[in-house]
């Protein structure tokens, strides 16, 4: 099966959107004990951005090499030819606008408060 260039771009965009959707969450559990607050967290929200940065670097390198090859051959792009892709591919990223938080608090061992929070989305960045 041979894919056109636009189909390849759409497939890559869809796969990246799926990766972003599956890595856009955080699971955090805190225990309030006599010795102080203890925290356990798994945060994958930065993973999608890291993967996107790596993919962008690879794509920019590929674009640069293709551009240099075309210039060395004297290729000319007509001004009426559209270079950019279709922006409707950005619709695949709409699930990234969703935000959901679920919190549960229970008392364990008689005096220890355990709070579990699962967050999907949350567009605010925190720098510790």
């Amino acid at each position: 099966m041979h894919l056109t260039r636009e189909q390849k771009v759409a497939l890559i965009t869809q796969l990246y959107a799926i990766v972003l959707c599956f890595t856009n969450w955080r699971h955090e559990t805190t225990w309030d004990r006599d010795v102080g607050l203890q925290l356990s967290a798994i945060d994958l929200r930065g993973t999608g951005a890291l993967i996107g940065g790596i993919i962008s670097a690879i794509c920019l390198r590929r674009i640069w090499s293709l551009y240099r090859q075309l210039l060395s051959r004297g290729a000319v792009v007509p001004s009426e030819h559209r270079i950019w892709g279709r922006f409707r591919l950005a619709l695949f990223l709409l699930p990234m606008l969703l935000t959901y938080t679920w919190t549960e608090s229970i008392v364990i061992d008689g005096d220890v408060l355990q709070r579990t929070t699962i967050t999907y989305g949350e567009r605010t960045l925190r720098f510790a």
Side-chain angles (χ1 to χ4, degrees):
M1 180 171 81
H2 181 67
L3 297 174
T4 65
R5 183 177 302 147
E6 187 169 324
Q7 289 172 332
K8 288 178 186 177
V9 170
L11 179 64
I12 290 169
T13 305
Q14 289 172 6
L15 291 175
Y16 183 59
I18 290 169
V19 167
L20 286 176
C21 287
F22 282 113
T23 59
N24 193 28
W25 59 271
R26 174 183 172 88
H27 181 275
E28 175 182 298
T29 302
T30 57
W31 295 273
D32 192 2
R33 301 176 190 258
D34 294 336
V35 294
L37 196 66
Q38 294 177 331
L39 171 73
S40 172
I42 299 172
D43 192 351
L44 292 178
R45 293 177 293 182
T47 307
L50 179 65
I51 293 170
I54 293 169
I55 291 171
S56 296
I58 292 169
C59 289
L60 286 173
R61 184 175 180 271
R62 177 74 176 140
I63 290 168
W64 179 251
S65 67
L66 288 173
Y67 181 69
R68 289 186 49 97
Q69 287 176 9
L70 288 174
L71 284 179
S72 68
R73 294 180 183 166
V76 177
V77 178
S79 60
E80 67 272 0
H81 182 61
R82 188 179 78 193
I83 296 175
W84 301 104
R86 296 195 172 135
F87 288 106
R88 69 178 174 198
L89 293 176
L91 294 175
F92 293 127
L93 301 176
L94 282 179
M96 299 301 295
L97 298 176
L98 298 175
T99 300
Y100 177 77
T101 302
W102 175 82
T103 303
E104 178 187 40
S105 298
I106 60 171
V107 176
I108 57 173
D109 294 333
D111 61 346
V112 178
L113 176 65
Q114 176 181 320
R115 177 175 290 156
T116 302
T117 304
I118 298 174
T119 305
Y120 181 84
E122 190 176 356
R123 293 173 294 281
T124 58
L125 296 177
R126 294 181 195 154
F127 299 99

